[in-house]
Each structure stands twice: as C-alpha cells, then as structure tokens.
C-alpha cells in the first residue's frame, strides 16, 4: 500500500514537472514572438552624479511590453532567456535600441551615457565584440559613452573567449562595470588585473546601512585604490543618498532618484520636467526610439 501511494506521488510529481516544462516552452515561444514584434524594450534608470549634481548616465533595463498582460519584469523572462540562449538575441536587440536612443538624445542636445547589462552567455559568443563594434559604428556612437555591466562571477570564469571579448570591447574604448558588487565571491586579485572602469555596489550592502557601514567603507577604499568610478545602487532614502555622497560614491542610483522609466519619461526627467506630456502613460507601447 505504501508502495502504491509512493508511485502515485511519483506520478503526480512527474506530471507537475511536465506541466512546468510545457509552461516554459510556451513562455519561450511567446518571448521569441515578442522579441520579433518589438515588445522587448529598454527602460532607463538615471545614474545621478554626486559631483555634477545631475543625471550623467542611464542604465537600460529590459521590459516586455505585453499587449494583454502589460509590463513584464526581467525576473519573469530573463531566466528562461538565459537558459535557452535567447538572451543572445535579446541582448543584441537591447544594445541596438539603447545605442540608437543615445544617439537620438545626443541629436536633441541631451548629454548622457548609457549602460547595458550583458549576460555571461553573450560574452562567450565568439562574435560579441564585433557585434558591439558594428552597432556603435552604424550609429556613429562614441564608444566611451557606452558601458557594459557584467556580474562579478564573470571574474572567476576562466573562459578564453569571454576574456578576449572583454579585452576587445575595452580596447574599443567601451567601459566595463562590475554589477551587484558584494553579492558574489570576487577574486580580488583578478578584479584588480582586469582593470574595470566602474564598480556598482549592490543594493543589499547600501540598504544594510548603517549596519554594514565598515564593509561599505572598505569597498569604497578599495575602489578608490583601483581608481574606478563608484556607483551606489538601490538608494531609496535621503539618508542613504547623503551617506553615499559623504563617503565618496561618484554616482547614485535608486528609487530615491527615479524608478526605471520609458525613454520618453527619462528624457522628461533629464530635462527637469516633472510632469509627463498629456496622455503618455508608463507602459504604453512606444516606437523604438523616442
Ligand atoms: P541589475 O542590473 O542589478 O539592475 C538593478 C535592478 O534593481 C533593476 O531591477 C532595478 O529596477 C532595481 N532597482 C533599482 N533601484 C532600486 C531601488 O532603489 N530599490 C530596489 N528595491 N530595486 C531597485 P529590474 O529592472 O527588475 O532588473 C533586474 C535584473 O535583471 C537586473 O539587475 C539585471 O541583472 C537583469 N536585466 C535587466 N535587463 C537586462 C538585459 O537587458 N540583459 C540582461 N542580461 N539582464 C538584464
Ligand atoms: Mg545592472
Ligand atoms: Mg545591479
Ligand atoms: Mg541585479
């Protein structure tokens, strides 16, 4: 009897696994269509410069503008994209859209750099650096105004293609940022050798303040030693903003300044217009470039 029960349980488990698999396949197929139809678009979150006292850069964050379900967040589609390899196409599309947007902004007199998240899988593609170079060239974009955000786990990866890609894009003059710093296990010696341009301190450290104060000060000291730009992520309160400025973070990013918003809204924010133009709502499907 116990055996039969066990078998039934197994079958149930098996079935729910199959359902999950089917759901994933459906999601992946929807995601492919969405990418083809231009529903995967960058939203932008300001990176506020403590010294310039203005937004000097924006981070692009992928959003799926679903015609029925509305705004879908990266946590609901980036994992499956990573798993299936579709992240390579999504990443390429994001880069293209973001570089184009930066150029459109420049033409309209807005001076802002852009950063884009790049997954490990993309960096392991042999033609990654060539693709980035092509996108910059096609759009006449200054490489130094583009930053690629990679996670610190990449530093422990010992993949020759990945290392070559990082070296190539950096030689093009593109900046490299280490994202979510403090959440992984960095090889600090490797980090120093890699000569990155920017370190983004993870919001878990920032939001632990003042509890983590000594640790964050050590991270900032290390960044200063490495002469990299220091970004404090996940700033939600005035107290956090003041702490980060007082302790020498160069850029501040978080809901306190702005949530990630559409290109159109980001432009309004940067031009210092609080109000949105009539009829424009977050999440509305927009042309590729505003
Ligand atoms: P990330 O690159 O570390 O981006 C920061 C995330 O923190 C964003 O979530 C942002 O909305 C959120 N955030 C910013 N400020 C605050 C704050 O003050 N408080 C809190 N609680 N959260 C804040 P989002 O947009 O959901 O993106 C999540 C992650 O998905 C990103 O983390 C990044 O790893 C990944 N991702 C997003 N877009 C792309 C993409 O185009 N390509 C790749 N490969 N990954 C992406
Ligand atoms: Mg990021
Ligand atoms: Mg981050
Ligand atoms: Mg993150």
């Amino acid at each position: 009897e116990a055996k039969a029960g066990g078998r039934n349980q197994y079958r149930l488990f098996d079935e729910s696994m199959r359902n999950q698999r089917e759901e994933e396949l459906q999601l992946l197929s929807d995601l492919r269509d969405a990418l083809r139809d231009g529903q995967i678009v960058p939203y932008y979150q300001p990176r506020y410069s403590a010294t310039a006292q203005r937004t000097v850069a924006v981070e692009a964050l992928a959003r799926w503008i679903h015609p029925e379900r509305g705004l879908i967040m990266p946590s609901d589609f980036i994992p499956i994209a990573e798993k299936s390899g579709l992240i390579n196409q999504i990443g390429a599309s994001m880069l293209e859209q973001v570089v184009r947007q930066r150029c459109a902004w420049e033409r309209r007199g807005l001076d802002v750099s852009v950063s884009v998240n790049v997954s490990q899988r993309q960096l392991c593609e042999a033609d990654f650096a060539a693709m980035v170079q092509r996108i910059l060239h096609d759009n006449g974009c200054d490489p130094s105004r583009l930053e690629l955000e990679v996670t610190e786990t990449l530093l422990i990866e010992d993949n020759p293609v990945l290392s070559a890609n990082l070296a190539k894009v950096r030689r093009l003059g593109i900046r490299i940022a280490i994202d979510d710093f403090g959440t992984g296990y960095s090889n600090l010696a490797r980090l120093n050798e890699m000569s990155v341009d920017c370190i983004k301190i993870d919001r878990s450290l920032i939001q632990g303040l003042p509890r983590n104060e000594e640790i964050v000060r050590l991270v900032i000291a290390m960044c200063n030693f490495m002469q990299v730009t220091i970004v404090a992520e996940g700033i939600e309160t005035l107290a956090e903003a003041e702490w980060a400025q007082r302790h020498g973070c160069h850029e501040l990013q978080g809901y306190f300044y702005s949530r990630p918003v559409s290109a159109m809204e980001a432009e309004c924010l940067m031009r210092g217009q609080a109000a949105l133009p009539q009829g424009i709502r977050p999440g509305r499907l927009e042309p590729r470039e505003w």
Side-chain angles (χ1 to χ4, degrees):
E1 229 190 79
K3 225 178 171 179
R7 206 178 302 139
N8 277 338
Q9 265 169 3
Y10 178 74
R11 200 176 300 138
L12 262 174
F13 179 64
D14 203 41
E15 219 156 84
S16 81
M17 290 249 293
R18 188 165 48 236
N19 287 341
Q20 198 190 325
R21 176 98 189 107
E22 274 163 15
E23 261 172 45
E24 274 189 13
L25 284 175
Q26 186 59 52
L27 175 63
L28 185 58
S29 140
D30 290 350
L31 188 54
R32 277 210 183 86
D33 294 345
L35 180 64
R36 184 203 55 213
D37 297 344
Q39 291 171 12
I40 310 295
V41 303
Y43 263 37
Y44 297 91
Q45 188 177 38
R47 290 170 49 168
Y48 184 84
S49 161
T51 45
Q53 296 281 309
R54 68 175 185 93
T55 298
V56 287
V58 287
E59 175 178 2
L61 294 155
R63 296 290 182 265
W64 178 354
I65 316 276
H66 195 285
E68 282 118 42
R69 287 158 64 198
L71 202 65
I72 303 180
M73 303 300 281
S75 55
D76 291 329
F77 64 90
I78 293 286
I80 187 107
E82 292 270 5
K83 201 168 138 189
S84 63
L86 190 63
I87 193 68
N88 289 326
Q89 288 92 289
I90 290 179
S93 164
M94 284 288 292
L95 265 168
E96 185 106 47
Q97 294 181 69
V98 171
V99 166
R100 265 173 24 199
Q101 183 63 64
R102 199 208 94 74
C103 292
W105 277 331
E106 187 177 308
R107 284 194 302 273
R108 293 205 290 278
L110 262 182
D111 181 33
V112 66
S113 293
V114 288
S115 66
V116 182
N117 294 284
V118 173
S119 92
Q120 175 155 356
R121 273 190 94 134
Q122 285 178 272
L123 279 168
C124 291
E125 289 283 296
D127 62 353
F128 175 78
M131 175 202 61
V132 180
Q133 184 169 26
R134 200 242 333 133
I135 290 173
L136 289 173
H137 179 264
D138 288 355
N139 292 282
C141 179
D142 174 359
S144 72
R145 308 309 297 276
L146 173 66
E147 188 170 87
L148 303 180
E149 297 192 10
V150 303
T151 59
E152 58 184 317
T153 49
L154 291 190
L155 302 177
I156 45 175
E157 265 290 303
D158 194 19
N159 178 317
V161 179
L162 189 151
S163 304
N165 271 327
L166 276 178
K168 272 187 221 163
V169 290
R170 203 147 182 284
R171 235 179 289 126
L172 292 173
I174 295 162
R175 292 165 54 89
I176 301 293
I178 301 300
D179 203 357
D180 306 339
F181 186 82
T183 56
Y185 300 91
S186 277
N187 180 336
L188 294 182
R190 187 84 201 282
L191 181 62
N192 195 29
E193 281 165 17
M194 271 195 45
S195 51
V196 298
D197 303 279
C198 173
I199 286 183
K200 304 187 76 179
I201 304 173
D202 190 68
R203 74 161 180 270
S204 58
L205 284 177
I206 299 297
Q207 293 177 351
L209 288 169
R211 187 163 39 82
N212 286 326
E213 182 152 0
E214 284 76 15
I215 298 291
V216 183
R217 282 161 79 145
L218 279 170
V219 169
I220 291 170
M222 182 199 76
C223 291
N224 280 323
F225 168 76
M226 289 170 56
Q227 296 184 295
V228 298
T229 301
I230 307 165
V231 181
E233 285 194 301
I235 300 273
E236 289 185 359
T237 66
L238 177 64
E240 286 160 0
E242 285 177 345
W243 191 96
Q245 296 208 42
R246 206 165 53 242
H247 289 82
C249 293
H250 304 114
E251 288 177 27
L252 313 157
Q253 185 180 351
Y255 294 171
F256 178 71
Y257 293 96
S258 171
R259 286 179 180 260
V261 293
S262 69
M264 210 184 277
E265 289 174 281
E267 179 166 344
C268 289
L269 286 174
M270 286 186 281
R271 294 193 190 280
Q273 300 166 339
L276 293 175
Q278 197 76 46
I280 293 166
R281 286 276 161 275
R284 211 195 73 162
L285 199 58
E286 290 163 19
R288 280 183 170 271
E289 180 182 293
W290 162 247

